[in-house]
Structures are given as C-alpha cells and as structure tokens.
Amino acid sequence: MSETLPSAAATVASWRSAEERGDVDAAVACLSRDVVLSSPLTEQFRFEGSGQLRDFLTSAFTAVKDVRYHTQTGEGDVYALVYRARVGSQSFEEVQLLRLDDDAKIKEITLFGRPMPALTALMTTLGPKLARQQGRRGLGALMRASTIPIHAMVTFGDRGMVAKTRPAAR
C-alpha cells in the first residue's frame, strides 16, 4: 500500500485542480472505469461508471461555479475534501468523501452539501440539464417546473422564517 500513497495524493491533487478549473477531461482521468457517485440530492439513483460521471461532471461544472477547496484530510485510499462555491447566487459548501482503488483511481465519491437553499438551487439546475443531456427535453422541463416551488419554499423559509427563530432574534 505504501507504493500507492504518492499516487493517491497525486490523484487527489489532480482531482481538486480539475474541479477548480471545471476541466471535465482532467477530472474523468482521475476516475476508475467502475466509479460510483452517490448523489447528495436523492437516494433514487447513483451515477455508475466513468461515462455516467462524465455526463454528470459536464452538467455539474456548468451549475457549480467558483470552486475553491479549503480543507483536505485523509491518507492511504480515503480522503475528505471540502470546498466553497456558488450555485447561481447561492453560496454552497460541499464535502466529498473519496475512496481510491489499488491503482490510485477514484472508485467511490459520496457528496454532502449545504445549505439547503443551495442544494435546491442545484436541484433546479442540475436535474433538468442531465435530462436534456440524455435527449429528454420534456422531462427536463417537467423537472424544472416541479423543483422551482421546492426551491422557493426552502429559500423563503431560510431567509424569512429560520432567521426569526435565532436566539438573538427576539
């Protein structure tokens, strides 16, 4: 395993750099062919294989802007990376749990994001893009129409109601 450590660190550094630049090809080069990404938005599906990840990253890199990593921890074949970015006008923070295979390629990505308004903004942008990318324009329009009210409710709740429940809000 000690032979893999420098390669794993190099893969993680390449992954970070590719994401910050929005470089899909460089990001895909860091992935194993049978990579799996667990969506932060739903348990309904996972992205499996470098081909599906290419499609996902192509859409994600257009939806998530100004990626800047600020924290990294890990060793061996497991790393956690944290970055700040924006989705539209929403600030966004994401944690990526990466697991690497014996060839120091990323085999598993689990995503965790916050705050909720940024996640719903991502949902209204990314889902329809992925559907259109698959040639399913009608589904993309339906997804956008069905997620906009969710985003509006979450954003209103975050800005209007949640702020009133803070201890200093009396």
Side-chain angles (χ1 to χ4, degrees), residues 78-93:
V78 180
Y79 288 81
L81 310 175
V82 187
Y83 71 79
R84 287 189 182 95
R86 63 181 176 78
V87 178
S89 63
Q90 297 281 336
S91 294
F92 178 65
E93 190 167 32

Side-chain angles (χ1 to χ4, degrees), residues 9 30 53 61 64 68 74-75 93 125 154 163 167:
C30 298
L53 262 287
F61 287 176
V64 179
R68 294 294 170 255
E75 63 182 0
E93 190 167 32
T125 304
V154 167

Side-chain angles (χ1 to χ4, degrees), residues 14-96:
S14 294
W15 173 257
R16 286 178 57 156
S17 176
E19 281 207 294
E20 287 180 335
R21 294 188 325 271
D23 185 338
V24 174
D25 291 332
V28 170
C30 298
L31 305 174
S32 72
R33 291 185 343 159
D34 59 348
V35 63
V36 173
L37 181 139
S38 297
S39 168
L41 302 175
T42 180
E43 285 289 324
Q44 298 302 313
F45 62 88
R46 302 176 330 162
F47 297 92
E48 298 179 354
S50 57
Q52 285 186 5
L53 262 287
R54 176 179 291 283
D55 292 344
F56 171 79
L57 292 172
T58 298
S59 294
F61 287 176
T62 63
V64 179
K65 299 292 187 188
D66 302 326
V67 172
R68 294 294 170 255
Y69 283 91
H70 60 79
T71 304
Q72 175 177 321
T73 187
E75 63 182 0
D77 62 353
V78 180
Y79 288 81
L81 310 175
V82 187
Y83 71 79
R84 287 189 182 95
R86 63 181 176 78
V87 178
S89 63
Q90 297 281 336
S91 294
F92 178 65
E93 190 167 32
E94 183 174 77
V95 177
Q96 300 176 341

Side-chain angles (χ1 to χ4, degrees), residues 103-166:
D103 296 322
K105 296 288 189 177
I106 299 169
K107 69 177 179 180
E108 185 180 317
I109 305 169
T110 305
L111 305 177
F112 307 90
R114 64 165 301 277
M116 183 65 92
L119 289 173
T120 58
L122 185 60
M123 186 169 52
T124 63
T125 304
L126 192 55
K129 282 182 190 229
L130 288 168
R132 285 191 302 273
Q133 212 172 28
Q134 297 171 7
R136 302 166 80 185
R137 287 187 143 348
L139 179 60
L142 179 61
M143 288 180 77
R144 182 147 175 82
S146 67
T147 57
I148 285 176
I150 296 167
H151 178 60
M153 287 186 294
V154 167
T155 301
F156 171 75
D158 185 62
R159 292 182 184 156
M161 302 309 291
V162 172
K164 293 177 181 167
T165 62
R166 287 189 308 233

